[in-house]
Short mmCIF file of all heavy atoms in Angstrom, two decimals:
data_model
loop_
_atom_site.label_atom_id
_atom_site.label_comp_id
_atom_site.label_asym_id
_atom_site.label_seq_id
_atom_site.Cartn_x
_atom_site.Cartn_y
_atom_site.Cartn_z
N ASP A 552 -8.19 -7.28 -1.75
CA ASP A 552 -8.50 -7.79 -0.43
C ASP A 552 -9.14 -6.68 0.39
O ASP A 552 -8.65 -5.55 0.37
CB ASP A 552 -7.22 -8.23 0.31
CG ASP A 552 -6.43 -9.28 -0.42
OD1 ASP A 552 -7.05 -10.25 -0.90
OD2 ASP A 552 -5.20 -9.15 -0.51
N VAL A 553 -10.21 -6.99 1.11
CA VAL A 553 -10.74 -6.07 2.11
C VAL A 553 -10.03 -6.43 3.39
O VAL A 553 -10.13 -7.56 3.88
CB VAL A 553 -12.27 -6.20 2.26
CG1 VAL A 553 -12.76 -5.32 3.39
CG2 VAL A 553 -12.96 -5.82 0.96
N ARG A 554 -9.25 -5.49 3.91
CA ARG A 554 -8.43 -5.74 5.09
C ARG A 554 -8.74 -4.71 6.17
O ARG A 554 -8.94 -3.53 5.87
CB ARG A 554 -6.96 -5.68 4.74
CG ARG A 554 -6.53 -6.80 3.81
CD ARG A 554 -5.08 -6.64 3.39
NE ARG A 554 -4.67 -7.80 2.64
CZ ARG A 554 -3.79 -8.70 3.07
NH1 ARG A 554 -3.21 -8.55 4.23
NH2 ARG A 554 -3.46 -9.73 2.33
N PRO A 555 -8.74 -5.15 7.43
CA PRO A 555 -8.93 -4.19 8.52
C PRO A 555 -7.71 -3.28 8.65
O PRO A 555 -6.61 -3.62 8.19
CB PRO A 555 -9.08 -5.09 9.76
CG PRO A 555 -8.44 -6.38 9.39
CD PRO A 555 -8.56 -6.52 7.90
N ASP A 556 -7.93 -2.13 9.26
CA ASP A 556 -6.84 -1.18 9.46
C ASP A 556 -5.88 -1.66 10.54
O ASP A 556 -6.28 -2.34 11.48
CB ASP A 556 -7.40 0.19 9.89
CG ASP A 556 -8.24 0.83 8.80
OD1 ASP A 556 -7.97 0.59 7.61
OD2 ASP A 556 -9.17 1.58 9.17
N CYS A 557 -4.61 -1.29 10.41
CA CYS A 557 -3.62 -1.56 11.45
C CYS A 557 -4.04 -0.75 12.69
O CYS A 557 -4.43 0.41 12.59
CB CYS A 557 -2.24 -1.13 10.98
SG CYS A 557 -0.93 -1.39 12.21
N SER A 558 -3.95 -1.36 13.84
CA SER A 558 -4.40 -0.68 15.06
C SER A 558 -3.28 0.05 15.79
O SER A 558 -3.53 0.69 16.81
CB SER A 558 -5.04 -1.71 16.01
OG SER A 558 -4.07 -2.69 16.37
N PHE A 559 -2.06 0.03 15.25
CA PHE A 559 -0.93 0.65 15.94
C PHE A 559 -1.05 2.18 15.91
O PHE A 559 -1.35 2.77 14.89
CB PHE A 559 0.40 0.24 15.31
CG PHE A 559 1.58 0.81 16.03
CD1 PHE A 559 2.07 0.19 17.16
CD2 PHE A 559 2.18 1.98 15.60
CE1 PHE A 559 3.16 0.71 17.84
CE2 PHE A 559 3.26 2.51 16.28
CZ PHE A 559 3.76 1.88 17.41
N VAL A 560 -0.81 2.79 17.07
CA VAL A 560 -0.75 4.25 17.19
C VAL A 560 0.59 4.58 17.83
O VAL A 560 0.96 4.02 18.87
CB VAL A 560 -1.91 4.78 18.06
CG1 VAL A 560 -1.78 6.28 18.27
CG2 VAL A 560 -3.25 4.44 17.44
N ASP A 561 1.34 5.48 17.19
CA ASP A 561 2.65 5.89 17.70
C ASP A 561 2.46 6.55 19.07
O ASP A 561 1.71 7.51 19.19
CB ASP A 561 3.31 6.86 16.73
CG ASP A 561 4.67 7.33 17.20
OD1 ASP A 561 5.41 6.53 17.80
OD2 ASP A 561 4.99 8.52 16.99
N PRO A 562 3.14 6.03 20.11
CA PRO A 562 2.94 6.59 21.45
C PRO A 562 3.43 8.03 21.60
O PRO A 562 2.94 8.76 22.45
CB PRO A 562 3.72 5.64 22.36
CG PRO A 562 4.60 4.85 21.47
CD PRO A 562 4.03 4.88 20.10
N GLU A 563 4.38 8.45 20.76
CA GLU A 563 4.90 9.83 20.87
C GLU A 563 4.05 10.83 20.09
O GLU A 563 3.64 11.85 20.62
CB GLU A 563 6.34 9.88 20.39
CG GLU A 563 7.31 9.17 21.32
CD GLU A 563 8.74 9.26 20.84
OE1 GLU A 563 9.07 10.17 20.04
OE2 GLU A 563 9.53 8.41 21.27
N SER A 564 3.80 10.55 18.82
CA SER A 564 3.07 11.51 17.98
C SER A 564 1.57 11.28 17.98
O SER A 564 0.81 12.12 17.50
CB SER A 564 3.57 11.41 16.53
OG SER A 564 3.18 10.17 15.96
N HIS A 565 1.13 10.11 18.47
CA HIS A 565 -0.28 9.71 18.47
C HIS A 565 -0.82 9.54 17.05
O HIS A 565 -2.02 9.58 16.82
CB HIS A 565 -1.15 10.67 19.27
CG HIS A 565 -0.67 10.84 20.67
ND1 HIS A 565 -0.78 9.85 21.62
CD2 HIS A 565 -0.01 11.87 21.27
CE1 HIS A 565 -0.23 10.27 22.75
NE2 HIS A 565 0.25 11.47 22.57
N GLU A 566 0.10 9.34 16.09
CA GLU A 566 -0.27 9.13 14.69
C GLU A 566 -0.63 7.66 14.48
O GLU A 566 0.12 6.77 14.85
CB GLU A 566 0.91 9.51 13.79
CG GLU A 566 0.63 9.39 12.33
CD GLU A 566 1.84 9.80 11.49
OE1 GLU A 566 2.74 10.50 12.00
OE2 GLU A 566 1.87 9.40 10.32
N ALA A 567 -1.79 7.43 13.88
CA ALA A 567 -2.23 6.06 13.60
C ALA A 567 -1.53 5.55 12.34
O ALA A 567 -1.25 6.31 11.42
CB ALA A 567 -3.74 6.02 13.38
N CYS A 568 -1.26 4.27 12.31
CA CYS A 568 -0.67 3.63 11.13
C CYS A 568 -1.74 3.57 10.05
O CYS A 568 -2.90 3.25 10.31
CB CYS A 568 -0.17 2.23 11.47
SG CYS A 568 0.60 1.39 10.06
N CYS A 569 -1.36 3.86 8.82
CA CYS A 569 -2.31 3.86 7.70
C CYS A 569 -2.25 2.58 6.87
O CYS A 569 -2.84 2.51 5.79
CB CYS A 569 -2.03 5.06 6.80
SG CYS A 569 -2.29 6.63 7.63
N GLU A 570 -1.53 1.58 7.36
CA GLU A 570 -1.44 0.29 6.66
C GLU A 570 -2.60 -0.60 7.11
O GLU A 570 -3.42 -0.21 7.92
CB GLU A 570 -0.12 -0.40 6.99
CG GLU A 570 1.12 0.43 6.73
CD GLU A 570 1.45 0.61 5.27
OE1 GLU A 570 0.83 -0.05 4.42
OE2 GLU A 570 2.33 1.43 4.98
N PHE A 571 -2.62 -1.82 6.59
CA PHE A 571 -3.62 -2.80 7.00
C PHE A 571 -3.09 -3.61 8.18
O PHE A 571 -1.88 -3.64 8.45
CB PHE A 571 -4.00 -3.72 5.83
CG PHE A 571 -2.83 -4.37 5.16
CD1 PHE A 571 -2.30 -5.56 5.63
CD2 PHE A 571 -2.26 -3.78 4.04
CE1 PHE A 571 -1.22 -6.17 5.01
CE2 PHE A 571 -1.17 -4.38 3.41
CZ PHE A 571 -0.65 -5.57 3.90
N ALA A 572 -3.98 -4.26 8.90
CA ALA A 572 -3.61 -5.05 10.08
C ALA A 572 -2.63 -6.16 9.68
O ALA A 572 -2.77 -6.77 8.63
CB ALA A 572 -4.86 -5.64 10.72
N PHE A 573 -1.65 -6.37 10.52
CA PHE A 573 -0.65 -7.43 10.37
C PHE A 573 0.23 -7.28 9.12
O PHE A 573 0.73 -8.26 8.59
CB PHE A 573 -1.32 -8.82 10.40
CG PHE A 573 -2.23 -9.00 11.57
CD1 PHE A 573 -3.60 -9.08 11.39
CD2 PHE A 573 -1.72 -9.05 12.86
CE1 PHE A 573 -4.46 -9.22 12.48
CE2 PHE A 573 -2.57 -9.19 13.95
CZ PHE A 573 -3.94 -9.27 13.76
N HIS A 574 0.40 -6.03 8.66
CA HIS A 574 1.30 -5.80 7.52
C HIS A 574 2.73 -6.11 7.91
O HIS A 574 3.08 -6.10 9.10
CB HIS A 574 1.18 -4.34 7.04
CG HIS A 574 1.60 -3.35 8.08
ND1 HIS A 574 2.90 -2.94 8.26
CD2 HIS A 574 0.87 -2.69 9.02
CE1 HIS A 574 2.96 -2.07 9.25
NE2 HIS A 574 1.73 -1.90 9.74
N THR A 575 3.56 -6.38 6.92
CA THR A 575 4.98 -6.59 7.17
C THR A 575 5.69 -5.24 7.19
O THR A 575 5.19 -4.25 6.65
CB THR A 575 5.61 -7.48 6.08
OG1 THR A 575 5.43 -6.84 4.81
CG2 THR A 575 4.99 -8.86 6.06
N GLY A 576 6.85 -5.19 7.82
CA GLY A 576 7.65 -3.98 7.82
C GLY A 576 7.18 -2.95 8.82
O GLY A 576 6.36 -3.21 9.70
N ALA A 577 7.73 -1.75 8.65
CA ALA A 577 7.49 -0.64 9.57
C ALA A 577 6.09 -0.06 9.41
O ALA A 577 5.44 -0.24 8.38
CB ALA A 577 8.54 0.44 9.34
#
Side-chain angles (χ1 to χ4, degrees):
D552 302 314
V553 174
R554 293 175 173 249
D556 295 330
C557 179
S558 61
F559 183 82
V560 176
D561 180 37
E563 291 181 22
S564 69
H565 304 289
E566 182 179 341
C568 181
C569 297
E570 306 287 351
F571 53 87
F573 309 111
H574 62 87
T575 59

